[in-house]
Amino acid sequence: MNEDTIRLATIGRILRRRWRLLATLALVGALVGYGASVLFPPRYTASASVLLPGQWEERELLTQVDVATSSTVVDQAATALDWSGVSGTDLRDRVSAKASDGNIIKISGTADTPKRAQQLSDQVAQQFVKFAARVSGGADSAAATGAEALRQKVAETNRRISDLAKAADPGQTVESVQARTALENLRTSLEDAMQKLDQADPSTNKAGMVVMGPAPRPTGEAPPTRVQLVVAGALLFFLLAVIGHLVAARMNRRLRTEPEIAAALGSAVLGTVDVPGDWSAHRPEGGGPRARIRRFLGVDTRWDLPVPQRSGDEADRRIRYRRVCARLREQLPTPRRLLVVVPDGDEIARRAAGQLVAEAKSDPLLRMVEVSVDRPTVQDRVNESGAVVVLSAGSWTAEELAGIAEACADGRHEVVGVVVAGLVQARPTRSGSQLPDDATLALAMPGHATGGSA
């Protein structure tokens, strides 16, 4: 896995190199959102407010909210509206209520037109007030009956107290005075209790509910609107594309460092060479509609390659190739012919191999061959007795490189070294840095390997 994918610079690299693909996917997401808006017609929401006078606790307000959206109230509203094909069950999902500050319950109704949304919210509010009045009226009548009976009992008790007070000894003995005082205290306690009962009567501090006018007709669609669906679709597809790039890069197993490449091929790295060019060096050749579409979207080249570093001029780059040839001569006990193996499709490595063959001339004598990575095949040992693998970093996995090494072994070619090629930005040749005549480049003669299979 590549640890570099967690950096923010990676997202910027995705936006720079895959902006056409991201824009196309965002457009597709917008079209999907538009299609969703066509399948789900627009909705409109209107709200009516109901005032609950008096003192209400929070739990009582929540109870009234549940009553406002109950099946009884909604069914009565559906019966009053008498919409064709719409029952109370259909309206239950379209009606909502919530309690706000000031003992106000806001009832909202959603319908396919502004007029119907207004009618629905008004009708539910009216039916809620009627239902609450019926429930409150029944409770008030029962409470009033009970309170009147209690008053009669208290009046009868007061009369009995008066009779007892008259029948008590009118003398001034201690016992008679205590009895009269106890009876008067009992009379006072009963009167205080009746006053508190009257103050606690719900009918005295809570008046009937009131609908605070008709619901205003909505002027805009209820969310999600068509514009919101289009924007959400475009944003969703864009984010999924970016996340997909990050996941793919996170799971990328291509080898990037020289030690990893050397371990996969079972040989040492002879050096790193520079290949001047741009991103077109990674673009595969071919035509056809599919290739043109991939080229237009920018998916024919990899986005996770690092930005090419600025290199020296031609003379500096040739020094790197000469050093590789010198290290190669030091490793060979006797001069011999070698194969320069290049993975098929690695354009940077192919250009570097051609330059290496030209620089080596005849010491050692090199011949370039391209090997398929899917089914690597290297010719049997005849004239050449060894192989030098040239490849670009970050292009191949350990399994693919191991397959090339096995193909070389099957052809009885020892991998004597590995050359890693990197893409760089070219710089004009410095004046006064002309190459010597004996360093004139010869044309490389690439060939294709034939023989045993790996």
Side-chain angles (χ1 to χ4, degrees), residues 132-153:
R134 288 197 301 270
V135 174
S136 176
D140 290 345
S141 60
T145 303
E148 183 63 26
L150 181 60
R151 289 189 182 93
Q152 292 177 3
K153 290 290 185 182

Side-chain angles (χ1 to χ4, degrees), residues 299-320:
V299 296
D300 57 339
T301 58
R302 291 175 50 195
W303 65 269
D304 55 343
L305 294 175
V307 178
Q309 301 295 326
R310 185 176 295 275
S311 69
D313 56 8
E314 181 66 21
D316 294 337
R317 289 191 293 270
R318 290 186 63 177
I319 291 175
R320 290 179 175 269

Side-chain angles (χ1 to χ4, degrees), residues 254 281-285 340-351 353 368-378 389-392 395-396 400-401 404 446-449:
R254 294 184 176 95
H282 290 273
R283 181 170 287 119
E285 298 179 357
V340 180
V341 179
V342 178
D344 190 15
D346 196 337
E347 181 63 21
I348 296 177
R350 190 185 68 82
R351 292 167 56 182
M368 183 179 69
V369 294
E370 295 186 30
V371 178
S372 173
V373 178
D374 297 331
R375 296 178 59 89
T377 302
V378 178
V389 180
V390 181
L391 51 84
S392 59
S395 299
W396 311 104
E400 292 171 338
L401 296 184
I404 294 178
H448 291 273

Side-chain angles (χ1 to χ4, degrees), residues 198-426:
D198 293 336
Q199 292 177 357
D201 188 1
S203 60
T204 61
N205 59 0
K206 291 184 181 178
M209 301 179 186
V210 179
V211 180
M212 301 175 61
R217 182 169 296 185
T219 57
E221 300 178 13
T225 63
R226 175 168 294 179
V227 175
Q228 291 174 342
L229 288 175
V230 170
V231 174
L235 183 60
L236 177 62
F237 274 59
F238 178 83
L239 292 178
L240 288 178
V242 174
I243 293 174
H245 280 77
L246 293 176
V247 172
R250 186 72 174 174
M251 301 302 295
N252 185 10
R253 296 184 301 167
R254 294 184 176 95
L255 304 182
R256 294 177 177 271
T257 62
E258 295 180 4
E260 293 175 339
I261 295 173
L265 290 170
S267 183
V269 176
L270 298 175
T272 303
V273 295
D274 296 337
V275 176
D278 51 17
W279 297 114
S280 60
H282 290 273
R283 181 170 287 119
E285 298 179 357
R290 182 175 298 180
R292 286 194 292 268
I293 293 175
R294 290 175 57 86
R295 188 175 297 110
F296 172 76
L297 295 178
V299 296
D300 57 339
T301 58
R302 291 175 50 195
W303 65 269
D304 55 343
L305 294 175
V307 178
Q309 301 295 326
R310 185 176 295 275
S311 69
D313 56 8
E314 181 66 21
D316 294 337
R317 289 191 293 270
R318 290 186 63 177
I319 291 175
R320 290 179 175 269
Y321 287 94
R322 291 174 179 175
R323 289 175 178 173
V324 170
C325 293
R327 295 191 187 102
L328 187 59
R329 285 193 297 268
E330 292 175 357
Q331 292 190 6
L332 298 177
T334 57
R336 54 178 172 169
R337 303 170 66 92
L338 299 175
L339 289 177
V340 180
V341 179
V342 178
D344 190 15
D346 196 337
E347 181 63 21
I348 296 177
R350 190 185 68 82
R351 292 167 56 182
Q355 183 77 6
L356 183 64
V357 172
E359 284 291 340
K361 295 184 180 179
S362 60
D363 185 20
L365 185 59
L366 305 178
R367 185 169 68 90
M368 183 179 69
V369 294
E370 295 186 30
V371 178
S372 173
V373 178
D374 297 331
R375 296 178 59 89
T377 302
V378 178
Q379 67 181 25
D380 293 335
R381 178 175 178 178
V382 180
N383 296 324
E384 293 83 8
S385 59
V388 178
V389 180
V390 181
L391 51 84
S392 59
S395 299
W396 311 104
T397 64
E399 292 80 6
E400 292 171 338
L401 296 184
I404 294 178
E406 291 177 1
C408 294
D410 290 344
R412 294 182 300 170
H413 293 283
E414 177 190 2
V415 180
V416 298
V418 181
V419 179
V420 180
L423 191 66
V424 295
Q425 297 180 8

Side-chain angles (χ1 to χ4, degrees), residues 4-24:
D4 186 61
T5 58
I6 62 176
R7 298 180 181 177
L8 294 178
T10 306
I11 299 179
R13 190 182 304 169
I14 295 174
L15 298 179
R16 289 193 306 270
R17 299 182 183 177
R18 292 293 174 86
W19 66 269
R20 289 184 179 179
L21 175 63
L22 297 177
T24 303

